[in-house]
Amino acid sequence: MKLEKVLQELNVNEYQGLNSSQVEENRAKYGVNELEEGKKTPLIVKFLEQFKDVLIIILIIAAIVPIIISAAVSGSVESEEWIETGIILLVVILNAVLGVFQENKAEKSLEALKKMSQPNCRVLRNNQIEVIPSRDIVVGDIIYVEAGDFIPADARVIEATELKVDESSLTGESLPVSKNNKELEADNLPLGDQKNMLFSSTFATNGKGKAVVIATGMKTEIGKIASMLQTSKKELTPLQNKLALVGKMIGVLCLAICAVVFVLQVVKNYINPGDLTVAHIWLDAFKEAVALAVAAIPEGLAAVVTIVLSIGVQKMVKHNAIVKKLPAVETLGSTNVICSDKTGTLTQNKMTVVKLYENELKDIENITKSEAKMLAYFAVCCDARIEGEKRIGDPTELALLDVNNNVGTDISKWQRVLDLPFDSERKMMTTVIPVDGKYLAITKGGPDIVIGLSTNKEEELVKARQMNEKMANSALRVLALAVKEFSEIPAKEDLEKDMTFIGLVGMIDPARPEVKDSINLAREAGIKTVMITGDHITTAEAIARDLGILQEGKKAITSQELDKIDDDTLAETIDDYRVFARVAPKDKVRIVDAWQKNEMVVAMTGDGVNDAPALKRADIGCAMGITGTDVAKQAADMILTDDNFSTIVEAVKQGRGIYSNIKKCIRFLLSSNIGEVIVIFVATIIALIVGLVNKDISIGEPLVAVQLLWVNLITDSLPAFGLGMEEPEESVMKEKPRPKKEGFFAGHIGWNIAFEGIFIGLITLAAYLIGEFVFDVKYENVENVHGMTMAFMTLATAELFHAYNVKSEHSIFSKETFNNKTLNIAFVIGIALQLGVLYIPGINTLFNLVPLSFAELAIVFGLAISVIVLMEIYKLVKRLIIAKK
C-alpha cells in the first residue's frame, strides 16, 4: 500500500500522532500490545492424568476389590490384606508423583516471548513525543527508533535515515536489513524482503527511523509464532509410544491370564473346598488372581525407566547438554535427521573478514604492511564502535574493526574531519582524515560502484573486478576501498570521483571449525544433516558445500520455491533437498512435518524466535544455550550450553546407549514378571490336576502378592538401575538409526524374554515343590510357608544372577562382566536384603517367610545359578550359528 493510504486507513496524522481518545478507542479495538498466555493445566489434573494407564487401573482394582469382597464376605479385613493393599496403592501413588515431576510445570514459551519486548519506547501522541511502556502501544501510534532500540510492534516505515535492523532472531538473516519507506513491488514476500516494515522484537543496529504501528500483540509476526506454539500438537516421543504399547500388551495378557487362573482356582476350590464356604471359595480365587496381576505387572518399570533416563540426563550435562524432558534423551539417540539453523548454529553468527585483495587474493594471514594499512583505512571509514564487551553498529563494520584490531594498525591517531554517510543509492561511505599535512578521503562501498569511479590502469581494474566476482561466487560479502588526496579540506561534491582503487575485503559469517567433523560423524551414524536458514541461497549453498551438507545429487531451495510445492509432494521429495534458504517460520514446520511423514525421527536445532514452532514440532528440539533466545530455550527439549553442533553428535551417542540400557532393563524386568506368572499359572494347573486325582494333597500358593511386590520393586529394581548405568559402546555410532516403528522386542528380544522367564518360573516352581514336599517341614497355622520361602528366595536370587546375563551378549566370563560397579553393588545389596528379609524376626513374618537351613539355602543358590549356565549355553549356540552364517 502507499504510505498515504496506510495513514489514512489508520486515521492518524504522522506529524501529530494519535490523540488520547483515539488511543483508548484503538486499545479497546485491538487490545494491549502483549502476547496471550496459553491455558495452564492445573497440578491436580496432571496428577489425575497419571492414572489413565491400563496397568495402573489394573493395580488399583487389584488393591481395592479384595478388601471390599473380604469385608462383604467375612465382615472384617485381615491385617495382611490391609498391608498388601496399602503397598500396592503406595506404589501407584509414587508412580503418579514421578510422572507429574517429569512433566513441565508450566508452558513458558509465551512468557519468554513477552520478555523480549522492549520495556519502553518513544511515541508521538497529542503532538508530543512521549516515552511509554511498550505494552501501551496501540495500532496507529507513530514510533521513533534509532540504533540500539528494540522494535515494540510491527510498523510501516514513514522515514528512514540509514536505518538498518537486525532481524536474525525472527528470519534467520545474518546481516541487518536496510529499511526504507517505499511500497513493496510484490505481495507475499518473505519477511526478510519486506524492506518497508519493522517487526516486533527485532532491533535497530544503525541509523534512525519513524514508523506507524500496524499490528500489536498476537497480530504481530512474533504473535503469530506465539499462536503456532499454542496450537502446535504435543507429540509423544518414540519411547513413550513404545512403553505405552508394552503396557497395553501386558495389561491384555494380564487380564486374560487372571481370568483363566480365577476360573481354574474356583474349579479347584469346588473340587477340594476343605473348610471354605461358597463365598470364601470365590474370595480365595479372586486373591489368587490378584497375586497373578501383581506378578504380571512390572510395578518398578516406570520408576526404573525414569531413573535410567535421569542418569542419562546427568551424563548429558557433563557433555554440555541440558535435557528438559527425560524421554528426549532416548529420542535423540534414534534421530534420523538433524534440521539445523545456519546462523549461530552451524556458523559463528559473527561477520568475519576472511579474504583480502590488494595485489593478490589471500587469506588474512601473514599480511604485508601495505595490506595492514589498507585494513586500517577500512576501519577508520566505519561508524560502528566496540566499547569493551559492548558492540554497537552494523556487523559488517564491526567485522572491519575486528580484523584491524587483530592484524591491522592503530587508527586512534586519525581524526575524522569530514564524512559522507552511507547512502543506499550511492552504496558508499566516505571519511576524510588529515595525513602528513594533507587530507585523505577514504571511500568504502560496493565494489562495482567504487571500481567504476576509480582511475587506476584498466588492467588493474579488470583484475579487481575478477577478484570481486571470485569472492562473490564463494558467497563472500565484498567491500571495496579507494582513496583520494587533497591539499585542503575538500568540498563534498569532489570526494567520490577520480579516486585511486586500493583493494577489496571479503567477509562471511564463518562455519564453526568443529562442525565439519561432527557432520561427517553424523553421516557415519546414518544421520542426515539439513541446513535451514534465512540467508540468501548463494550464501547458504557455499556454507553447506564447505561443511559437507550439500553433496552431489542434493539440492537447495528457497522459500518462494517451497511455497509452490504442496505438502504431499514435499513429503515425497524431501530427501532431495539439503538446504532451505530464505525460510519463514511456517516453512520450518512444513520441513519437519515432511520428514516425519517419511517415518523419520527429526531433531531441530535453532536459536531464534523463528525456530520456536519447529523446535516444538520436531521429535526433539535443541536450542542454543549462549546465543539462543528465551523463546527457543523454552520451546526446546534440550539446550546445548556450548552452542556446539558437535554436542549433538555426542548426545546421539549417549541417547543410543541409554536406549540400549532401557531395553536391557525391560528385558530383565519382564523376564522376572513372566517367571512369576509361570509359577502361579502352572502351580494352579498342577493343583487342579492333583485335586482331581487326590483330594488329600494340597499344592497351595507358591507366592503371595506382598512377596511379588518385594521382588518387583526391590530385588529387580536394584540390578535394573545398575544395567541403566552401562556406558555406551564405541560401535554404537557405526550403527544405523532404529526405524521409528521398531518395537522393544525387535531382534528376537521377545523370544529371549519368554525363554528366560519360563526357565526362571520353572526353577522357582521346582524350589517350591522341593520345599513343600521333599523337606516336608510343617509350621503351625501356616500352610505351605516352607515351600513359599524357597520359591521366593530362588526367584529373587535367580533374577540377581540373571542381570549379568542381560548385561551383554558376550559370555559372562569375558573381562567386561564386572566393569559396571553400580551393578556389582546392586547385586551385593540385593543378596543382603534377601537374607535380611529371610532371617530378621518380624520382617520374615510380614512376608510369610521362615528361616532356611544351610542345605536348603544351597539348593536355592544352586537353582538360581542354573540361569547363568543355561544362558551361557544359549549364547554359545547363538555365536556358533552367527559364525556359520
Side-chain angles (χ1 to χ4, degrees), residues 8-23:
Q8 183 181 352
E9 288 205 4
L10 294 173
N11 191 26
V12 60
N13 185 314
E14 68 171 293
Y15 304 108
Q16 296 181 350
L18 299 174
N19 58 42
S20 299
S21 61
Q22 285 178 307
V23 169

Side-chain angles (χ1 to χ4, degrees), residues 24 64 131 134 138 158 180 239 466 508 552 559 646 652 771 850:
E24 293 306 318
I64 296 174
V131 178
S134 61
V138 298
I158 297 173
N180 58 54
L239 177 63
Q466 290 173 345
I508 197 169
E552 193 70 31
S559 176
S646 61
V652 168
V850 292

Side-chain angles (χ1 to χ4, degrees), residues 793-814:
M793 289 297 293
T794 301
L795 174 66
T797 311
E799 280 296 308
L800 290 170
F801 281 114
H802 184 50
Y804 287 95
N805 290 327
V806 176
K807 180 181 183 294
S808 174
E809 290 300 315
H810 301 293
S811 170
I812 198 171
F813 301 109
S814 67

